[in-house]
Amino acid sequence: MNVQVVDYTASDAPEKFVQSLHETGFGVLKNHPIEQELVESIYKDWYAFFSSDKKHDFKFNVDTQDGYFAEEVSETAKGHDIKDIKEYYHYYPWGKVPEELEAQLKEYYAKASALAAELLTWVEKHSPDNVSKLYTEQLANMIKDTPNTLLRVLHYPPLKGDEEEGALRAAAHGDINLLTILPAANEPGLQVVDKDGNWLDVPCNFGNLIINIGDMLQEASGGYFPSTIHRVVNPTGEEAKKSRISLPLFLHPRDEVVLSDRYTSRSYLEERLRELGVKM
């Protein structure tokens, strides 16, 4: 497996990027248009938020899924029975958010969503004809005016040594959505499984942007683009004493978008949320 690091500014970037997505489910961009200073400021300010008691004032809404999710209500990855070691905040432009943190999240959300739309045009342009004919509408149009794209601010706390046996910061899983856009986190740990079942580190130089296929795009492409299984492993030694902040944007279509003969975007999402145990 070769997860390519592609220069966003290169003339052949779209083709190389989509090739990497097809072969591995992942692509990594450098020299992309999202400013590192913005990402770093979000990491800094949200680390302070997760370190405060104020987070409990923003408990998540079960129906709308926005707000703060404490570690005890964290996700259990599909096929696992141990919760991940993480807490996180779900941000939507229409949802609740601490007032002093809203501007930076709103800016990042807009810029990352615009880049995601461009990347979807790359994906569609470089899909084989037999795959592109499966798309029920233009991929970029699937997210036009969508209220469903989710920005998750993740905090993986320092390990205490008393974690449940087998618990990981994020157990092996695939994402639900079309594409996930993820700035390299402030600490390493992201791994992807190859076709032979080996776990490989994803290139995560600070400043890179990591993009992976979600289950919805795998469904819409008839499996041509694989929703590759990935995880975040626990650090050891001194690294275990550090927090890890992560900022994935999960690109979700509008509810009514038809993914395949089996699913709309909404029906697929509802099924997966029940499997994750975050919605009944």
Side-chain angles (χ1 to χ4, degrees), residues 40-65:
E40 290 177 347
S41 69
I42 293 173
Y43 286 172
K44 175 177 176 291
D45 292 345
W46 279 84
Y47 173 74
F49 173 82
F50 286 118
S51 300
S52 73
D53 289 332
K54 184 176 181 178
K55 61 189 179 184
H56 298 294
D57 297 335
F58 292 87
K59 182 180 178 181
F60 73 98
N61 183 306
V62 174
D63 293 325
T64 58
Q65 293 286 296

